[in-house]
Amino acid sequence: MLSAGLPQGTVPKLERPGPLRERVYEALLELITTRALRPGQHLVESELAGHLGVSRQPVREALQRLNTEGWVDLRPAQGAFVHEPTEEEADQLLSVRTLLEAEAARLAAANSGSAGIAALESLCAEGERAVADDDVDLAVATNAAFHAKVMELAGNVVLAELAAQVDRRVRWYYTPVARRRGKQSWIEHRDLIAAISARDERRATEVMRAHTEHTRTTYHERSERT
């Protein structure tokens, strides 16, 4: 067992197409985002390279890039560690997410047709099943897919590009509270679908704003309970 502490089966397989450094970067970012590599965890280049089946050089390059982007902290004479987000960092990002998602919900209510509504209902059903099965990883992935679909239905390319910049960090912050949000999160998603289906822009905005604020509040509450 490597000291990197990766649970068995969590390491994504590196697809062959594309530059190796990019594939290693994406693999490590996915491991961080899903918290297979946890905040504060020491990242040993040789062990990560062994896990991924590559040399140390692309791992070193990926860690440097992740450091630049704020996912990894490089400490002199100590090495690399997964970044531990502060409460302020999380609050700022989740507040921005609320603004983006609320506008996306409004636009989705204005623009969505029956096919879009059906897609949201399908994702919601999948998320409800994941919660019932206590499959946190699937619940988190389906939650991200649901919100991405709302953003797609909004039909605003610039808004979608801005949302994409924060999407992975939102997933990072959502993972530790996914079980606590559980069933209630998907009840809120159902309320949002109803507002979008009714083409009620104001209601869709209100529901999405409350929904994202609940996640932000739950994230902060988690540290008070641990």
Side-chain angles (χ1 to χ4, degrees):
M1 180 67 176
L2 296 177
S3 63
L6 292 173
Q8 191 150 19
T10 63
V11 181
K13 293 188 181 299
L14 298 184
E15 300 297 333
R16 289 302 168 193
L20 182 60
R21 69 181 67 180
E22 184 68 24
R23 290 183 281 125
V24 170
Y25 163 82
E26 287 292 338
L28 292 179
L29 181 54
E30 181 68 10
L31 290 168
I32 292 171
T33 303
T34 59
R35 295 186 178 241
L37 292 172
R38 304 190 62 79
Q41 186 168 337
H42 187 203
L43 303 174
V44 181
E45 286 181 8
S46 59
E47 294 176 346
L48 291 172
H51 259 308
L52 297 173
V54 298
S55 68
R56 294 176 62 175
Q57 183 60 30
V59 172
R60 182 178 300 114
E61 293 174 353
L63 291 176
Q64 290 171 345
R65 179 176 171 185
L66 290 165
N67 172 68
T68 300
E69 296 175 355
W71 292 100
V72 166
D73 297 327
L74 297 179
R75 303 174 189 171
Q78 295 184 54
F81 297 81
V82 178
H83 179 65
E84 296 185 72
T86 65
E87 294 297 304
E88 183 179 7
E89 287 172 7
D91 194 67
Q92 289 178 0
L93 184 122
L94 293 173
S95 294
V96 170
R97 181 221 185 184
T98 293
L99 296 174
L100 298 174
E101 298 268 9
E103 177 62 7
R106 184 188 72 79
L107 291 172
N111 299 325
S112 294
S114 58
I117 300 299
L120 291 176
E121 289 177 341
S122 177
L123 286 167
C124 197
E126 183 177 351
E128 290 164 344
R129 287 192 296 271
V131 170
D133 294 339
D134 197 30
D135 189 336
V136 174
D137 290 341
L138 181 58
V140 170
T142 309
N143 180 74
F146 181 92
H147 283 269
K149 189 64 181 180
V150 173
M151 191 63 65
E152 177 188 325
L153 296 175
N156 186 309
V157 175
V158 175
L159 186 64
E161 288 176 349
L162 292 172
Q165 293 179 32
V166 302
D167 176 69
R168 258 180 156 151
R169 287 190 186 274
V170 168
R171 187 178 173 192
W172 193 34
Y173 295 136
Y174 183 72
T175 296
V177 301
R179 181 173 280 115
R180 190 170 298 154
R181 287 287 279 130
K183 185 177 179 181
Q184 180 58 38
S185 178
W186 296 96
I187 290 173
E188 293 163 11
H189 285 157
R190 287 286 181 192
D191 290 341
L192 179 64
I193 293 172
I196 292 174
S197 181
R199 304 186 71 83
D200 188 336
E201 297 178 38
R202 180 175 178 179
R203 176 64 180 158
T205 302
E206 291 172 349
V207 171
M208 181 65 93
R209 181 176 291 116
H211 172 69
T212 53
E213 283 298 303
H214 289 161
T215 296
R216 184 165 72 101
T217 300
T218 304
Y219 180 84
H220 290 306
E221 288 176 346
R222 105 223 169 274
S223 62
E224 297 173 3
R225 300 181 187 181
T226 55

